[in-house]
Amino acid sequence: MNEAVHLDELLSCRLDNGRRNLEPCTIVIFGASGDLTSRKLIPALYHLFIEGSLPTPFRIIGFARREKTDDSWRAELRDALGKFSRSKTVDDAKWQEFAAQITYCRGDLTNPKAFEQLGLDIRESNNESLRTNLLFYLSISPTQFAEVVENLHTSGLLQRPDQGGANHRVIVEKPFGTDLRSAQLLNAELMKFCHEAQIFRIDHYLGKETVQNILTFRFSNSIFEQLWNRHTVEQVQITVSENLGVGSRGGYYEESGALRDMVQNHLLQVLSLVAMEPPVSLQAESIRDEKVKLLRSIRPIAQNEVATNVVRGQYTAGEVMGEQRPAYRHEKKVAPDSTVETYVAMRLFIDNWRWSTVPFYLRTGKNLPLSASEVRVQFRSTPNVLYTAQCNQRLDSNAITLRLQPDEGISLRFNGKVPGTSMQLRPVRMHFSYDSEFGAYTPEAYERLLLEAIAGDATLFIRRDEVETAWRIVDPIGTAWDRKPLNGKEFYPAGTWGPVAADELLAQLGHAWRHPQPIH
Ligand code: BG6
């Protein structure tokens, strides 16, 4: 044995050198006046800058219709950074240095002339890389994606790799389509002007540290992966609950609902990472191949099977954390007779060798008692002898919970003997917490995603076939619900864990929801 390796040493292993060698890059943000830009994108870029992770030099150009100067836009962004930055205080000297790289280009997305101006702005730089290494962030309405990409192409700013655009990339925000057909159309439009390798479709859940850790947890440990199959797992529950209502986003939500807003993307992404087979390598395409394969193995739910496998819900007035919340139908920009779902619960089966017969329960909702995202893998109970025979239903079976947010961590629940002279058993918990192990460093998802896009690594982005396969899964559900009136069992008061029908869905197979717990 290598003498230098002490048995108990924490061997850490680097897959990179800790610092990417990034080429200088110009980032153009379409939708510069939008909420996402000031709340997420600029704070993320600022943090990357102060950590020294952005390439040197770099440029950020904001593109939008409103009349602004470089300085007035910078002032707006500085203001927003004060409110939304994850580090409480903003270092003014650093901000000045960062802001000096930011400029504003006023223009109309539909006007090819405006793109000529953008081209001039980009080319004015005397750094060759800044003129050719271009990242276009489409933080705009999905109805404008195709036109912007076409205008970029016509103005020569976005070329295919074989035509000189090897370093031209486009980041596309969600929602990517509203159903399979619209997603296919959008893909076809984008493909007219760029190659799949140049398109980075965002699902910000993939930028979360804990979501990335799912693959590390599964494939860098030998003890858990052996249990990860139908022989030992009884059911899996994936919960993404939110304790806020739709707030000011009623207009958007009326068009999307929880199915399109959360299930088609975030929940199915988490599910695919939890259930996929080991990829042949850690390369982007190997990982994405396995995710698509998994999504394809999900047993389709036909329209006439929706009622028995999927539950929708809509919140009525109620109280969340001591605060009164209005009914969804009374939110701003929501129709008073809206049938849009603010809650979805569903049971999926994965028809492959590993998971056949294991139910995967997915649920998400607004105005639930707690904001928490977690994956709970519930194991089968022990044979009906010894303790189980004596305890009847009172002996809990083991579970591993991957807590994605907040209070990020992983816990294993198993039974133990309560100390004392009597014979009493109860579940105990072994817990790994990110905070106590690594300190409170949890970078924003957008930081990681922007950095990966700058580096041209697509692992954390959604591939064309992936987005389409996900729509194929949810489309029949959306169609079955479309404008169908809600029945009494489909409402839930704000502050509760969803409609009664969701409990009945699990009861069909003798299961019950395990609600996330606040962890202090
Ligand atoms: C977004 C949805 O994609 O994700 C929102 O549009 C939702 O409705 C949000 O609130 C949840 O993200 P997070 O990171 O807060 O869990």
Side-chain angles (χ1 to χ4, degrees), residues 174 204-205 208 242 249 252 261-262 266 366 405:
K174 82 175 252 272
H204 79 279
Y205 263 59
K208 291 183 191 275
E242 296 185 276
R249 294 170 78 225
Y252 157 76
D261 185 46
M262 300 293 287
H266 309 324
K366 301 263 186 214
Q405 65 183 26

Side-chain angles (χ1 to χ4, degrees), residues 39-114:
R39 279 174 180 259
K40 297 283 183 190
L41 304 183
I42 295 295
L45 288 165
Y46 168 76
H47 281 112
L48 290 173
F49 172 71
I50 55 177
E51 269 164 20
S53 302
L54 285 185
T56 331
F58 70 93
R59 281 187 74 190
I60 299 171
I61 303 179
F63 185 104
R65 207 169 33 190
R66 288 193 204 152
E67 194 69 66
K68 282 177 207 188
T69 62
D70 292 346
D71 281 339
S72 67
W73 192 43
R74 288 177 191 141
E76 273 173 37
L77 297 175
R78 170 66 185 83
D79 240 28
L81 186 66
K83 288 190 213 131
F84 304 117
S85 155
R86 72 174 159 84
S87 55
K88 296 287 169 263
T89 49
V90 178
D91 176 333
D92 257 317
K94 283 277 176 204
W95 165 259
Q96 292 302 340
E97 222 182 298
F98 174 73
Q101 318 309 318
I102 301 182
T103 55
Y104 185 75
C105 176
R106 181 179 173 272
D108 184 335
L109 297 172
T110 61
N111 180 2
K113 285 246 172 308

Side-chain angles (χ1 to χ4, degrees), residues 116-260:
E116 283 169 24
Q117 181 56 49
L118 176 64
L120 291 176
D121 281 11
I122 291 174
R123 287 184 202 109
E124 89 189 358
S125 165
N126 47 23
N127 179 301
E128 161 77 11
S129 242
L130 287 180
R131 292 196 302 266
T132 53
N133 192 13
L134 307 177
L135 185 61
F136 299 105
Y137 200 117
L138 308 190
S139 172
I140 48 179
S141 156
T143 54
Q144 299 172 306
F145 289 163
E147 190 169 15
V148 169
V149 167
E150 178 169 1
N151 282 335
L152 281 171
H153 179 75
T154 315
S155 61
L157 292 170
L158 176 62
Q159 302 294 327
R160 292 177 172 281
D162 54 359
Q163 290 164 350
N167 290 331
H168 297 171
R169 276 146 287 149
V170 181
I171 304 186
V172 188
E173 257 301 327
K174 82 175 252 272
F176 197 90
T178 51
D179 55 12
L180 175 60
R181 210 182 118 64
S182 57
Q184 284 172 327
L185 279 176
L186 182 52
N187 273 326
E189 287 294 325
L190 298 181
M191 294 300 160
K192 281 190 202 157
F193 307 108
C194 41
H195 187 271
E196 171 63 26
Q198 296 173 283
I199 303 176
F200 290 68
R201 298 176 193 79
I202 288 237
D203 182 319
H204 79 279
Y205 263 59
L206 295 185
K208 291 183 191 275
E209 195 64 57
T210 46
V211 173
Q212 289 161 41
N213 192 44
I214 297 174
L215 291 192
T216 313
F217 175 74
R218 289 190 54 199
F219 301 129
S220 70
N221 294 299
S222 63
I223 50 178
F224 306 116
E225 190 54 20
Q226 294 185 33
L227 305 174
W228 226 248
N229 58 56
R230 72 197 149 93
H231 300 295
T232 41
V233 175
E234 188 189 58
Q235 43 146 326
V236 177
Q237 298 188 3
I238 301 179
T239 300
V240 175
S241 65
E242 296 185 276
N243 64 8
L244 292 175
V246 296
S248 57
R249 294 170 78 225
Y252 157 76
Y253 213 76
E254 281 284 273
E255 298 298 316
S256 71
L259 184 71
R260 295 182 176 91

